[in-house]
Amino acid sequence: MRIIALVKYVPDSGDEVGFEADLSLGRVGPSSRLSELDEYAVEQALRLRTELAGATLTVLSVGPAEAESALRKALQMGADDAVLVTDEAIAGSDVFGTATVLSAAIRSLEGGLVVAGMSSTDAGLGVVPALLADSLCWPLLSQAAAVSVEAGLAKIARVDETGSRVVEAALPAVVSVTDQSGEPRYPSFKDVLAAKKKSVATLTLADLGVDASAVGVGSARVEVLAVGRNPDRAAGRVIVDVDGSSVDEIVDFLAAATK
Amino acid sequence: MSKVVIIGGGIIGATTAYALLGKGITDITILERDTVGSGGTGKTAGIIRCHYGVTSICALALYSLDFFENAKELIGTDIEFEQVGYLVGIGAENLEPFRASLANQRSIGVETEEITPAAAKELWPTANVDDFATFCLEPRGGYGDGYATVQGLAAYLRTQGVAIKQGAKVAELIAAEGKVSGVKLVNGEIVEADVVVVAAGAWSVPLLAPLGIDLPITPQFVQEVVIDPAMELGTPPVFSDLVSMQYVHLRGPELLFGNSDGSSVTPITDPDVYPNHASNEAIERTAEKAINRFPGIEDPGVSTTTTGQVDSTPDNNAIISATDISGLFVAAGMSGHGFKISPGVGRLMADIIVEGESTIPNVKASDFRLSRFAEGDLLLSPYPYVGAVGIR
Ligand SMILES: Cc1cc2nc3c(=O)[nH]c(=O)nc-3n(C[C@H](O)[C@H](O)[C@H](O)COP(=O)(O)OP(=O)(O)OC[C@H]3O[C@@H](n4cnc5c(N)ncnc54)[C@H](O)[C@@H]3O)c2cc1C
């Protein structure tokens, strides 16, 4: 079975946020990288690949040419191969466009299990796994804190504020994993050197048989009207303690703030 | 009494203030745009050694050792100097410059001795030493902690009345009729001074340019890889491997790897804009070199990477100099090896300000003058190594 982990190339959280002319989020900052939340997806996919006899792991990304470095990082972590779907016509796609491209790629790669992160670290919408499952007509097991696969069934533990529940679905399926699913591994030097010999395959929309008019800024259902900076936070208030007086002041402050 | 303003709260600004105090100058203000140690100093690998071909630099490093070794008594804080020794291994092609450099180092008092590959292997049992012609060991070398050192110094300077202003970014220098009179901060505040020392690394360039002073400093991006060896390594010396062109030292239980052939150093245009992690290619290069050199480390992995920016000059050596403007001095362009010589650089800067010449044995102040670049009289090692960056 081919496991496919989805990875996104994003600006680092320390980079200044930039926007393209069409107000879409800039992807190529000085420290752009494999999204940290997607490292959890790669980690779980690597573990499942090892556990499941005959499984292979492909990492898949839709993005600009620079996104190759995110795929290379996933190869260094131990993925078997990597596919980048890149095409001028994809630029400015919304989540629906991204899911359309991903599902075409997953079909053409004949994936049997898709593992995604819980959300991207830049746009942060977290809906791509659901749209993708819908587009593939596969079940979705989202927000997994733990995932296992046995006898053609994927099983996850989903933990949220209401409690913990176990959900399972027959493969093929889409699973998204949270940052509680297990720390991503350090690349070992052996894997780093093995990755050097692997190549990143590049696909275009034409290769996938996706009509360019179905994606990109033109067909986006989400339209960014304006972007702006949050106002600077006002200066904090300094409470000066005179022989314990600050306790009452802090209590009063908290009482007022939580009213 | 003269009023001194130092721009830059890195190790060079701090050691300059320290040395000025030693000369009885107490009215000192350090202006730091961010926080103390937030520049190159907080990112340094911190390697300390005297292995230099240029006599003046070797002597600055030797002078500096006294500070690193005695910091606890001198400034009252532990600066976390790990004196594990410094080991250099070279191939046959570098035998001649290596031995000539060692002889020169010894002639001014550096403790360093040539040792055999077999002896080096005892210090680094995990290493393959077969392709080295010879080694030298400098027992007083090791590695320090740039951040701890500059913080320790800053705490001491405050007790001596030095004003350290953080979040104080200098917008421009104020000079008229060939004489400096102070600086203006970005918030418009003016700080008056008789003497201004610019110790702001690559950021010194735009401060001096409006006065017609051209500092030939290029910011360069550097990358280092921290490795989890997944085994106990003891306390081996810092290892400068001039066959594979890499340097290695322990940092806690991990190993820090840097590249010495210049391939991981790239010029950048803005000293504040560079990646915060090493490239996949830099990681690959490190993995290749490390696996070849350390076959005894069975399953090493990348634990993290660090990056930084260094302020390189055309001869990879510092500018410690007066300028054509009276009262205005520069200590910048450390070119990626300023930590180990910083107590010496601070002292030399103070010497130039107060005495007009060096008072450190074997250090010629004129070697570091700014005008050497325009004159084409670069400060280069008489014993250059084949294949290595010229900072030895
Ligand atoms: C990754 C790395 C590894 C290194 N390894 C070694 C090593 O092993 N051994 C060694 O000897 N050296 C090493 N170095 C070099 C050494 O760390 C530096 O040469 C040294 O720290 C430089 O000190 P500095 O005070 O000149 O510069 P910095 O520490 O950069 O200080 C300059 C300060 O000026 C401030 N500043 C800038 N503009 C303004 C302004 N307009 N107004 C006010 N303040 C301003 C900055 O915020 C900064 O704090 C390394 C450097 C790096 C980056």
Side-chain angles (χ1 to χ4, degrees):
Chain A
M1 177 181 64
R2 182 175 232 163
I3 303 171
I4 297 179
L6 306 183
V7 301
K8 188 175 182 189
Y9 176 72
V10 297
D12 186 77
S13 51
D15 286 342
E16 179 122 0
V17 179
F19 294 92
E20 306 293 346
D22 63 5
L23 300 185
S24 65
L25 213 48
R27 297 279 286 279
V28 188
S31 299
S32 287
R33 50 171 295 152
L34 166 59
S35 171
E36 281 166 281
L37 289 174
D38 293 344
E39 288 184 5
Y40 291 91
V42 175
E43 176 59 37
Q44 291 311 309
L46 283 167
R47 189 179 52 74
L48 292 171
R49 191 247 346 241
T50 310
E51 283 173 15
L52 301 172
T56 62
L57 172 58
T58 300
V59 280
L60 170 64
S61 188
V62 175
E66 289 85 350
E68 179 175 346
S69 79
L71 290 165
R72 288 230 149 261
K73 169 80 15 174
L75 289 174
Q76 290 187 340
M77 289 175 75
D80 297 305
D81 46 42
V83 176
L84 172 63
V85 185
T86 187
D87 198 309
E88 300 251 308
I90 299 174
S93 290
D94 60 6
V95 282
F96 299 98
T98 305
T100 302
V101 179
L102 283 171
S103 74
I106 290 159
R107 278 207 192 89
S108 99
L109 293 167
E110 297 178 5
L113 169 65
V114 170
V115 186
M118 62 196 278
S119 120
S120 61
T121 52
D122 54 351
L125 294 177
V127 294
V128 166
L131 294 172
L132 176 62
D134 182 60
S135 166
L136 289 165
C137 294
W138 290 4
L140 169 71
L141 300 173
S142 65
Q143 305 288 326
V147 51
S148 60
V149 172
E150 220 174 313
L153 275 186
K155 193 194 262 187
I156 67 154
R158 181 191 297 151
V159 182
D160 60 26
E161 60 276 17
T162 62
S164 163
R165 80 197 85 182
V166 174
V167 192
E168 62 180 29
L171 295 181
V174 176
V175 174
S176 74
V177 302
T178 70
D179 55 0
Q180 301 305 305
S181 57
E183 277 305 303
R185 70 193 58 192
Y186 299 147
S188 85
F189 275 13
K190 286 174 193 146
D191 287 335
V192 169
L193 293 184
K196 219 186 145 182
K197 301 194 189 85
K198 296 173 188 165
S199 59
V200 173
T202 310
L203 297 177
T204 62
L205 290 180
D207 295 330
L208 294 174
V210 175
D211 185 353
S213 69
V215 300
V217 75
S219 77
R221 284 186 254 173
V222 175
E223 191 186 349
V224 182
L225 299 177
V227 295
R229 210 169 260 291
N230 279 340
D232 286 340
R233 273 198 301 172
R237 184 175 134 215
V238 178
I239 295 175
V240 181
D241 185 79
V242 183
D243 296 333
S245 67
S246 64
V247 176
D248 286 343
E249 261 187 89
I250 292 171
V251 170
D252 289 347
F253 171 80
L254 291 175
T258 49
K259 215 169 257 165
Chain B
M1 204 176 77
S2 46
K3 193 172 157 47
V4 180
V5 159
I6 298 171
I7 306 173
I11 193 69
I12 300 300
T15 52
T16 300
Y18 177 75
L20 285 168
L21 281 177
K23 291 181 187 290
I25 294 178
T26 51
D27 189 350
I28 305 171
T29 302
I30 296 180
L31 301 173
E32 164 56 49
R33 64 167 189 170
D34 193 352
T35 54
V36 167
S38 59
T41 300
K43 305 198 158 95
T44 189
I47 296 175
I48 291 173
R49 45 119 175 154
C50 299
H51 193 103
Y52 278 105
V54 175
T55 303
S56 284
I57 302 173
C58 184
L60 282 180
L62 183 60
Y63 172 87
S64 300
L65 270 182
D66 281 329
F67 175 84
F68 292 124
E69 288 175 344
N70 301 307
K72 182 95 203 180
E73 289 99 89
L74 294 171
I75 61 169
T77 27
D78 186 7
I79 57 163
E80 296 175 32
F81 174 30
E82 301 290 341
Q83 200 164 33
V84 291
Y86 181 73
L87 179 72
V88 184
I90 55 133
E93 71 286 4
N94 276 318
L95 255 182
E96 215 175 297
F98 177 78
R99 291 204 169 127
S101 179
L102 287 188
N104 189 57
Q105 292 166 40
R106 276 190 223 107
S107 76
I108 66 164
V110 176
E111 280 172 44
T112 179
E113 53 172 325
E114 199 171 328
I115 65 170
T116 61
K121 175 93 182 163
E122 276 176 32
L123 298 168
W124 268 101
T126 49
N128 167 24
V129 297
D130 294 346
D131 49 350
F132 291 100
T134 187
F135 285 85
C136 72
L137 180 67
E138 205 185 302
R140 291 176 76 193
Y143 61 96
D145 179 326
Y147 197 72
T149 307
V150 77
Q151 292 300 335
L153 262 169
Y156 172 80
L157 294 173
R158 287 192 187 97
T159 66
Q160 304 301 302
V162 173
I164 302 180
K165 295 195 179 158
Q166 305 184 98
K169 182 173 179 181
V170 174
E172 59 185 279
L173 304 176
I174 307 170
E177 291 163 15
K179 193 179 177 333
V180 77
S181 63
V183 306
K184 187 173 170 187
L185 304 186
V186 286
N187 67 5
E189 189 188 329
I190 287 174
V191 184
E192 288 176 357
D194 308 305
V195 170
V196 173
V197 181
V198 182
W203 298 281
S204 306
V205 178
L207 289 172
L208 292 173
L211 299 178
I213 300 172
D214 174 30
L215 285 187
I217 294 177
T218 310
Q220 311 234 42
F221 169 57
V222 293
Q223 336 184 29
E224 292 174 333
V225 177
V226 181
I227 289 173
D228 176 2
M231 65 184 280
E232 177 59 47
L233 294 168
T235 49
V238 174
F239 186 176
S240 169
D241 166 2
L242 293 183
V243 169
S244 311
M245 297 300 161
Q246 60 185 339
Y247 54 86
V248 188
H249 71 75
L250 239 56
R251 189 151 85 179
E254 299 181 320
L255 280 173
L256 183 130
F257 274 75
N259 205 330
S260 337
D261 64 7
S263 66
S264 294
V265 180
T266 36
I268 50 178
T269 46
D270 182 338
D272 286 308
V273 180
Y274 55 84
N276 64 1
H277 51 85
S279 68
N280 296 329
E281 295 71 28
I283 293 174
E284 280 166 11
R285 263 197 309 270
T286 307
E288 270 172 350
K289 288 184 178 189
I291 279 195
N292 286 334
R293 180 56 67 213
F294 298 100
I297 303 179
E298 265 169 35
D299 191 18
V302 178
S303 122
T304 179
T305 67
T306 66
T307 63
Q309 170 264 121
V310 299
D311 48 342
S312 295
T313 66
D315 60 14
N316 281 312
N317 282 313
I319 302 164
I320 310 160
S321 182
T323 66
D324 289 341
I325 293 175
S326 170
L328 180 60
F329 298 85
V330 188
M334 298 298 137
S335 305
H337 58 119
F339 178 66
K340 64 179 73 64
I341 56 172
S342 57
V345 172
R347 167 70 183 269
L348 179 60
M349 188 74 271
D351 283 352
I352 292 171
I353 294 167
V354 177
E355 279 93 0
E357 59 186 66
S358 164
T359 64
I360 308 174
N362 301 304
V363 174
K364 267 204 295 199
S366 63
D367 278 356
F368 301 97
R369 72 193 185 284
L370 171 58
S371 64
R372 72 182 189 270
F373 302 102
E375 294 157 8
D377 184 18
L378 299 185
L379 184 58
L380 298 170
S381 168
Y383 325 109
Y385 288 119
V386 180
V389 190
I391 57 166
R392 280 172 189 83

